[in-house]
Amino acid sequence: MILDEACVVAPKPGVRLRFDPVRGRHVLLAPERVLFPCPTTVEILERIPPGGTTIARLVDGLAQEYDAARETIAEDVLALLGQLAKDRLIRVEREDRDVDAAA
Amino acid sequence: MSMPQPEGASRTHGGIEPPVGLLAELTHRCPLQCPYCSNPLALVRRSEELSTAEWKRVFDEAAELGVLQLHLSGGEPTARPDLEELIAHARSRELYCNLITAGVGISEARLDALVAAGLEHVQVSIQDVDPEGCDRIAGYPDALRKKLAFARAVRARGLPLTVNAVVHRHNLDRLERMIELALELGADRIEVAHVQYYGWALANRAALLPTRAQLERSLAVVERARRELEGRLVIDFVIPDYYARRPKPCMNGWGRAVITVSPDGRVMPCHAAHVIPGLVFANVRDEPLARIWYESEAFNRFRGTAWMKEPCRSCPRREIDFGGCRCQAMLLAGDPEATDPACELSPEHARILALAEAESQAPPPPFLYRTLAAGRAPREPAPAA
Ligand code: SF4
Ligand code: SF4
């Protein structure tokens, strides 16, 4: 699915981000998968609250924090969340409808 | 976004990475009697099983070693009344908790307790979509109805579900319906695994091997379903070694990713490794897990590529499939250092393929069901070759 800023992203049950002190980096744990996300992915995942948030709000927060051009951040965030959704690592909902069954 | 392996793990031991997964065979007890069970013929008795305190210590040591995911398996792991306590303990060490179960005889209250303890993912086996076929394989009455009720209860609690479908000559022709069933249950994944011939399955090989025609049809079914269900259901597929052209990268390499602990505490690179003569498996009762992983002879025996013989030694795929499965090399070629006969480049390959074709076309012999007594009774040696 193509994401836009009005989409709501939420953590997916059975997918958990944690820091691994043995390897000295974050790991993303999912059914039958262990992933080693890059620092940007970690930062975005950590900003998604348990109840979900719109992508627009995520972009606002990052633009503020890094004092960077909003469009550049939006582009990166949409691409990254799109990949995470495709890999079934986050849930994506639309504000105007229910949880996407495939997410 | 992510990569399969961390670049330069921080605390390596002479290049050996810590394991990402621990397969905890909590018990060999199981109400089912599947003739393809991967457990060894000599099943561990209840009185020999690790205690609750011992398993907790194993999980502590695993977390410290760098294990990230815990696969709670068996036998039937819910046969252990302390399973919820073990899950809660594992979660306190941040281990990801995956339950691999037959899904019979688990009440909703029990499932609630497992979920409350922190269970994160469930894999339930489905022997067949045909109730009679299911009961016949499982050697257990009314198994399918119970499994389906359990799978639905798992989904009702919001947990991700994987359906494990082990396929063979008696159910392969119903593969489409198995995939439909997984979809209808709300599973995220179905693992369609052709029987792997170790343990009980090897003893029952002539009764289980599908024909080449059946296999080819199943490949087409999977391919089509993958296209049609993209984004809705992930279909993992394990081909039968005997008809393969290249071997599977068994366990992602010996002593590379997974550590297995048997019900009585023996630590092995994989659950079939006991078939290799001369390997001594240390026990968690005597030695710390980290020492066993990094230093034991059994784990170092087939690490890397130095042990390989030709054709693997100079093959460009040697770091991709690691020469295939050591246990299968032992069972089929009589040499654990040989190329896995599943590989076309193995001198044994043609013989194995011919054997598969002959066995799969002959009328199937009766099953040797998996029971404690059958596994210990004197019997003909397994039809290794
Ligand atoms: S394969 Fe069958 S008999 Fe073996 S543990 Fe699983 S459910 Fe039990
Ligand atoms: S020869 Fe060995 S390394 Fe090469 S493909 Fe076959 S099993 Fe793999």
Side-chain angles (χ1 to χ4, degrees):
Chain A
M1 92 200 276
I2 307 289
L3 304 188
D4 58 53
E5 288 197 34
C7 293
V8 174
V9 288
K12 198 172 158 78
V15 179
R16 179 153 58 88
L17 179 73
R18 59 164 281 208
F19 184 74
D20 170 20
V22 175
R23 293 170 185 79
R25 61 182 305 168
H26 280 84
V27 290
L28 191 56
L29 306 176
E32 295 296 283
R33 284 185 295 168
V34 174
L35 301 161
F36 298 93
C38 69
T40 316
T41 307
V42 171
E43 160 113 47
I44 291 175
L45 286 172
E46 281 182 332
R47 282 169 177 264
I48 301 177
T53 183
T54 61
I55 298 183
R57 251 172 278 149
L58 282 178
V59 175
D60 289 343
L62 286 160
Q64 208 170 11
E65 168 106 21
Y66 293 101
D67 201 11
R70 200 178 179 289
E71 305 90 275
T72 325
I73 292 202
E75 207 176 298
D76 291 353
V77 170
L78 281 168
L80 207 142
L81 290 173
Q83 189 59 46
L84 288 168
K86 189 162 175 273
D87 292 340
R88 298 166 297 123
L89 296 166
I90 53 168
R91 279 192 304 156
V92 179
E93 309 163 25
R94 303 216 71 117
E95 274 187 312
D96 51 358
R97 64 176 164 102
D98 274 352
V99 179
D100 185 283
Chain B
M1 180 215 71
S2 48
M3 55 207 85
Q5 285 290 323
E7 85 273 309
S10 54
R11 277 187 240 165
T12 49
H13 295 236
I16 304 170
E17 303 278 351
V20 290
L22 177 109
L23 178 70
E25 292 188 328
L26 295 180
T27 178
H28 277 163
R29 286 174 284 144
C30 182
L32 274 52
Q33 308 177 8
C34 309
Y36 52 67
C37 186
S38 62
N39 290 158
L41 289 167
L43 295 166
V44 170
R45 294 170 200 276
R46 176 183 212 147
S47 57
E48 302 162 320
E49 289 176 9
L50 295 181
S51 67
T52 309
E54 284 172 319
W55 275 117
K56 285 184 179 173
R57 181 170 55 72
V58 170
F59 297 166
D60 289 339
E61 292 180 8
E64 276 149 35
L65 173 58
V67 167
L68 299 167
Q69 289 191 320
L70 184 58
H71 306 284
L72 300 155
S73 176
E76 173 49 46
T78 59
R80 296 265 319 199
D82 57 356
L83 182 59
E84 36 279 69
E85 190 181 341
L86 295 177
I87 290 175
H89 187 80
R91 283 302 305 270
S92 78
R93 305 305 309 252
E94 289 199 66
L95 294 168
Y96 187 95
C97 288
N98 174 31
L99 178 68
I100 303 170
T101 177
V104 302
I106 307 167
S107 69
E108 298 229 356
R110 183 87 200 275
L111 179 58
D112 283 332
L114 299 174
V115 174
L119 182 62
E120 293 177 280
H121 173 228
V122 175
Q123 289 180 250
V124 63
S125 61
I126 301 283
Q127 277 67 7
D128 201 334
V129 282
D130 171 52
E132 271 158 45
C134 187
D135 290 359
R136 196 167 85 83
I137 286 288
Y140 185 89
D142 205 15
L144 184 63
R145 195 183 51 81
K146 291 176 180 154
K147 285 163 177 285
L148 298 187
F150 175 75
R152 293 200 173 97
V154 168
R155 286 301 295 137
R157 283 155 184 80
L159 259 65
L161 173 76
T162 294
V163 168
N164 286 353
V166 176
V167 291
H168 43 77
R169 74 193 276 178
H170 301 283
N171 66 4
L172 194 51
D173 297 331
R174 287 184 287 278
L175 181 55
E176 284 101 331
R177 284 171 58 203
M178 292 187 209
I179 295 172
E180 277 162 28
L181 179 65
L183 202 62
E184 181 209 310
L185 288 171
D188 307 83
R189 282 172 68 239
I190 178 169
E191 232 178 80
V192 179
H194 275 273
V195 171
Q196 307 272 307
Y197 295 97
Y198 309 96
W200 293 87
L202 184 61
N204 283 296
R205 188 178 63 197
L208 293 167
L209 260 173
T211 62
R212 160 111 47 190
Q214 274 185 305
L215 165 68
E216 269 157 22
R217 221 190 121 260
S218 75
L219 290 169
V221 167
V222 166
E223 226 171 89
R224 178 157 32 85
R226 274 188 179 150
R227 261 198 320 272
E228 284 170 6
L229 302 177
E230 157 134 58
R232 294 167 66 201
L233 181 72
V234 173
I235 306 176
D236 284 337
F237 187 62
V238 179
I239 57 158
D241 290 325
Y242 288 59
Y243 293 116
R245 300 185 55 209
R246 291 288 179 268
K248 59 182 182 270
C250 192
M251 303 307 282
N252 277 316
W254 185 272
R256 255 180 113 248
V258 179
I259 189 163
T260 300
V261 180
S262 70
D264 54 356
R266 277 168 306 142
V267 187
M268 300 185 285
C270 89
H271 56 273
H274 51 81
V275 303
I276 298 176
L279 284 186
V280 181
F281 299 110
N283 195 298
V284 292
R285 285 175 164 142
D286 314 316
E287 271 186 69
L289 210 54
R291 200 202 302 160
I292 300 173
W293 176 259
Y294 288 115
E295 293 168 29
S296 72
E297 218 237 297
F299 273 84
N300 284 314
R301 180 73 179 78
F302 301 107
R303 272 198 174 115
T305 54
W307 55 269
M308 286 180 180
K309 295 178 177 170
E310 291 297 352
C312 294
R313 180 182 281 272
S314 57
C315 177
R317 287 181 57 87
R318 65 183 182 273
E319 310 248 8
I320 298 171
D321 64 32
F322 315 102
C325 173
R326 295 305 90 221
C327 308
Q328 192 147 264
M330 178 64 221
L331 292 169
L332 298 182
D335 173 5
E337 293 178 356
T339 295
D340 183 339
C343 179
E344 253 180 357
L345 302 172
S346 158
E348 301 290 323
H349 184 74
R351 189 174 61 81
I352 300 309
L353 186 60
L355 182 140
E357 290 187 334
E359 280 186 4
S360 67
Q361 277 159 32
F367 291 142
L368 173 73
Y369 282 103
R370 170 210 192 271
T371 62
L372 191 64
R376 290 176 185 246
R379 42 186 290 281
E380 301 275 298

